[in-house]
Amino acid sequence: MNQNPDLLTNLYNAFNPFEPLPAGDPKYVDCQDVRGDADIQQELGNRMRLAKTNTYQLYSGHRGAGKSTELLRLKKYLEEREFYVVYFAADEEDIDSEDAQYTDILLACTRRLLKDLREIGNPKPVVNWLKDRWQELKDLALTEIQLDNVDVEVQIAQFAKLTANLRAVPELRQKIREKVNPHTVTLIQVLNEFLADVKKRLPEGRNQLAVIVDNLDRMVLVKDGERTNYEEVFLDRSEQLKALDCHLIYTVPIAMVYSTRATDLRDIYGDPQILPMVMVRTQNGEVYEPGINKVKEVIYRRIKPFAPELSLETEIFDSPQTLERLCLMSGGHVRNLLLLTQDAIGRTEELPITEKSVKRAITQARDTYRRSVENHQWVLLAEVSRSKRIINDDQYRSLMFNRCLLEYRYLDDEEEMQRWYDIHPLIQGIQEFKEAVAQLP
């Protein structure tokens, strides 16, 4: 095939798995009907719109399932309904997902609110709080600047240095927490003074304020005795998490939603909303055509801007079977789909993408999953592959966090939502898993 030499480059980069789609992007595919009717705009957005008081909600799902894309859609939905929305991904500049505590999240919220809202309201209460503690904190911000005689922009920039070090310099992290922790209540107080002023001065056409804190679901579980960092953040500090005077949405690790503390979460925040996988197979293992077609559409939408005239099934891929194999092996997990497709393109010198390239991409991804499973967990995976159920246990939660176990949902004939679980399809071909299945009674 005589091809534009830039075509493969463009296609490879179109499948970047780590960039959420902005709201309104033509590459977005609405998968609501193959995700058990999950609709973030109805489930979270409509509640915020109707409520006469602030709402505090949790959003969860497997990492890479598309939560950030959905949250950006929610942001646009709210903005079209007179909300002013501050959205940020907490792990991009402020927190380390490998080691995160409540204080880190509060400092991240503070920095981002100052950055996004300082032109609307008067940040003086927060800046004064910072000045009162600057003598203790400036060494941890690795700066010599005094805050007394500099303007607000410089003061905010110095605070940003402090939160950057919280993420980037592990040896300073605990020291920063120790200095800030005794003062979190007063920090929330001055933040609320700032937010109260912001809400009086919102731009025309905006009458409510919402904050969306994304990527907290990436927090790695850390145990301290019988307690975990998840419990410290979302339960022990729930009153402070909910204390900011605005509508709030936090992402929460899926392992927390399926923990023994799930009812406590519900009592505090209401039911956490979960984004399930796109269902590509039914519970009894048959190919689910509506789901497979949605996954194919995800691929097609990313290819279309660069090769609208090429057939997806015979010119982009060498056969319909090669394309379907790739889609099925993703398990309906969007990031896995993008990673597999990008890897297959990376093994291609000219179109079409061959069966061999797709198989190699699958083998590479499968090896990653093999390394993430501990030896005693193979039997758990084998049991779930048969029962399609999970047990409320740390081992299963760990396998969900690692995306070895996936959740699917569908509406039954009576329009009741049903959920089921399965192993990631990539695991089926691993020898240790096959042996565990063979040993099941």
Side-chain angles (χ1 to χ4, degrees), residues 54-70:
N54 290 329
T55 59
Y56 313 103
Q57 301 184 85
L58 300 179
Y59 190 51
S60 190
H62 294 281
R63 288 179 298 159
K67 291 186 300 300
S68 296
T69 294
E70 293 300 314

Side-chain angles (χ1 to χ4, degrees), residues 283-330:
Q283 221 168 329
N284 59 12
E286 296 174 359
V287 173
Y288 184 60
E289 291 296 339
I292 278 290
N293 290 337
K294 286 289 187 183
V295 172
K296 288 177 183 177
E297 188 179 351
V298 170
I299 294 175
Y300 176 69
R301 291 272 186 101
R302 289 176 181 256
I303 287 171
K304 184 179 177 182
F306 307 107
E309 75 288 353
L310 297 184
S311 162
L312 184 62
E313 295 191 334
T314 58
E315 294 176 292
I316 298 297
F317 290 87
D318 64 3
S319 72
Q321 292 76 23
T322 298
L323 172 61
E324 182 159 303
R325 179 183 175 89
L326 177 76
C327 294
L328 287 171
M329 294 310 289
S330 75

Side-chain angles (χ1 to χ4, degrees), residues 245-413:
D245 187 13
C246 57
H247 292 276
L248 287 160
I249 294 173
Y250 298 102
T251 52
V252 60
I254 193 167
M256 182 70 182
V257 177
Y258 284 96
S259 74
T260 54
R261 306 300 303 277
T263 52
D264 297 318
L265 276 185
R266 186 180 189 277
D267 289 344
I268 294 167
Y269 304 97
D271 281 318
Q273 300 303 316
I274 300 172
L275 181 67
M277 299 295 102
V278 174
M279 197 166 82
V280 291
R281 286 190 187 275
T282 63
Q283 221 168 329
N284 59 12
E286 296 174 359
V287 173
Y288 184 60
E289 291 296 339
I292 278 290
N293 290 337
K294 286 289 187 183
V295 172
K296 288 177 183 177
E297 188 179 351
V298 170
I299 294 175
Y300 176 69
R301 291 272 186 101
R302 289 176 181 256
I303 287 171
K304 184 179 177 182
F306 307 107
E309 75 288 353
L310 297 184
S311 162
L312 184 62
E313 295 191 334
T314 58
E315 294 176 292
I316 298 297
F317 290 87
D318 64 3
S319 72
Q321 292 76 23
T322 298
L323 172 61
E324 182 159 303
R325 179 183 175 89
L326 177 76
C327 294
L328 287 171
M329 294 310 289
S330 75
H333 183 282
V334 176
R335 184 176 295 162
N336 275 181
L337 177 72
L338 301 182
L339 280 166
L340 285 170
T341 309
Q342 190 180 59
D343 191 10
I345 295 170
R347 299 172 188 277
T348 300
E349 292 190 11
E350 65 173 30
L351 294 176
I353 300 166
T354 63
E355 180 186 15
K356 180 181 178 181
S357 295
V358 168
K359 281 184 175 179
R360 289 289 303 277
I362 289 168
T363 301
Q364 183 71 38
R366 180 177 286 140
D367 196 50
T368 301
Y369 274 81
R370 182 185 61 77
R371 293 194 302 271
S372 71
V373 178
E374 297 178 22
N375 192 50
H376 64 280
Q377 293 177 320
W378 293 112
V379 66
L380 304 181
L381 292 169
E383 288 168 354
V384 174
S385 73
R386 176 179 289 183
S387 70
K388 310 303 182 191
R389 297 195 299 268
I390 63 168
I391 295 169
N392 197 348
D393 173 88
D394 279 345
Q395 290 292 334
Y396 291 88
R397 288 191 282 275
S398 171
L399 289 167
M400 290 194 78
F401 184 81
N402 291 339
R403 300 174 302 287
C404 294
L405 293 177
L406 303 177
E407 175 178 333
Y408 299 93
R409 295 185 182 189
Y410 66 95
L411 295 180
D412 64 18
D413 293 340

